[in-house]
Amino acid sequence: PPFFFPCPPQKAMTDYKKYQGVSEFTWVVSPISDRMHLCQFLNDHFIVSLINTTWEACEKTKLPVGKYINENLIYLPNLNEMDENQIVKVGKVLTLYCQDLEAADEYDFGKAK
């Protein structure tokens, strides 16, 4: 059910307590600053993904972390809505994506910050 702040309905509060939070999406950030590449890889493996179009980053910040995340964030289906097989598939595809990046010398996860 929808979660209305500050007065959520009882069913929403029950679900909130049961699932320990509210989550509409699962988020993934491209480690190579190319979210369309990641989206295409996921789509090629039959996982629906969407680019983030809803967040704004503060232009005045001295640390551009928020801007980086905003420009590279993609949404996946909510893990809370998936069954175990679907979660395992998403994990395997994301692992394969990372392995492909390393094999192509596009990103070294061993040296990642």
Side-chain angles (χ1 to χ4, degrees):
F3 192 88
F4 299 105
F5 183 82
C7 301
Q10 185 57 44
K11 170 79 169 98
M13 281 307 298
T14 301
D15 288 349
Y16 176 82
K17 290 175 184 173
K18 178 180 177 184
Y19 299 116
Q20 300 177 340
V22 176
S23 174
E24 296 175 7
F25 301 98
T26 299
W27 303 336
V28 179
V29 173
S30 168
I32 60 169
S33 300
D34 188 352
R35 66 178 168 189
M36 293 310 297
H37 179 261
L38 176 54
C39 284
Q40 186 61 54
F41 188 90
L42 293 167
N43 290 339
D44 290 347
H45 289 84
F46 306 102
I47 296 175
V48 176
S49 61
L50 301 167
I51 63 167
N52 172 40
T53 59
T54 59
W55 283 16
E56 294 290 328
C58 178
E59 298 294 328
K60 296 178 184 177
T61 184
K62 292 181 182 179
L63 299 173
V65 174
K67 187 175 189 310
Y68 170 81
I69 291 171
N70 186 52
E71 291 175 351
N72 291 287
L73 185 73
I74 66 165
Y75 298 122
L76 299 177
N78 184 348
L79 288 177
N80 294 327
E81 304 275 330
M82 294 183 200
D83 64 29
E84 185 175 342
N85 291 332
Q86 292 167 323
I87 293 170
V88 169
K89 178 177 171 119
V90 169
K92 286 181 179 181
V93 171
L94 288 171
T95 299
L96 181 61
Y97 174 76
C98 294
Q99 290 170 339
D100 285 359
L101 289 179
E102 281 195 320
D105 288 328
E106 292 186 57
Y107 195 82
D108 184 352
F109 289 93
K111 293 184 180 180
K113 294 179 183 178

